[in-house]
Amino acid sequence: MHEAYVLPGPLALSRSTVDRAADRRADAAWLDSLWADAATRVLLVGDGTVPVDGDGLRFVSPADAPDGDRLLLGLDDGVAFVAVHVGEKPDGGATLREVGAALGDRDAGLAVHAIALANWHATHRFCPRCGGPTRSEQGGHVRVCELDGSQHFPRTDPAIIVLVVDEKERCLLGRSAAWPGKRFSTLAGFVEPGETPEHAVVRELYEEAGVRVTSCTYAGAQPWPFPSSLMLGYYASAAGEEPTPDGEEIAEARWFSRDELTAAMESGDVLPPSGISIARKLVEGWYGRPLPVDATWR
């Protein structure tokens, strides 16, 4: 059944128009020339936020940028974009949850890239091999240990996120113990070492909800830099057995028909997934139309 579902529309944080220029990152002279060019646009990033002006990002020139790690974001229409990690929230800073869906394709891609890199730099100041200090190189995409010379690269943690549908066309939604009392969403979990995403789907659904997945189909992916994940979306099939939440990560899990979910959202008994999340798109692909707008949590 799940093979008939597709994600509706673009994922808010998966959009980008920028050439990342990965082949130029090791060219120190070229990077210096970008910083010397007044046309280069600099995005300040700190504390998980970027400055926003209206529905777009606010940039400064290199001359007006403060000191900090310089993170090459790429090129677009001949213009270079560089982020500077300032360590604290810049003036006018907003999170991706607040503005991710409103940004255009170019700015959404720049913001996700900048925040993900800044999060990594903030937590990798020291070498995991010897404990020595590390420095940023190659446009912020490598850190090098100053003692043993080892190179360290940005971390991205793969996680699966799944909408399970049973033989009655009901979907399974769960409520995390850490969420507001009526917030329900798809189930998710990190891929473990030596595990495929498909195996993680089966394991996580059984661990968290006691539901046995019989098959799954990849639906799409979205970066999720909170702080460093890549969400791999799946539709899955399972028998409609009564879910048994683990009580730790998942406090409650329920099967919903489309009519039952509609009634629960209209009554306020269920709040839908976040507006920028892949979870919302997974549910909408099954639901057949957009979910109602929820301004309480994005």
Side-chain angles (χ1 to χ4, degrees), residues 164 170 172-175 187 202-213 238-255:
V164 183
R170 299 181 301 173
L172 181 70
L173 299 178
R175 180 177 64 81
L187 276 65
V202 175
R203 175 183 54 77
E204 285 286 349
L205 265 293
Y206 187 73
E207 286 182 0
E208 294 187 351
V211 171
R212 293 176 175 84
V213 167
E241 56 193 324
E242 188 66 22
T244 54
D246 62 6
E248 296 181 6
E249 294 190 44
I250 301 299
E252 184 180 0
R254 295 163 53 186
W255 293 104

Side-chain angles (χ1 to χ4, degrees), residues 17-54:
T17 64
V18 174
D19 172 6
R20 292 193 172 203
D23 58 320
R24 307 293 303 273
R25 292 171 186 165
D27 187 341
W30 180 72
L31 293 174
D32 288 342
S33 73
L34 297 183
W35 198 253
D37 186 349
T40 293
R41 299 294 82 199
V42 180
L43 178 67
L44 307 185
V45 55
D47 195 26
T49 69
V50 288
V52 176
D53 186 5

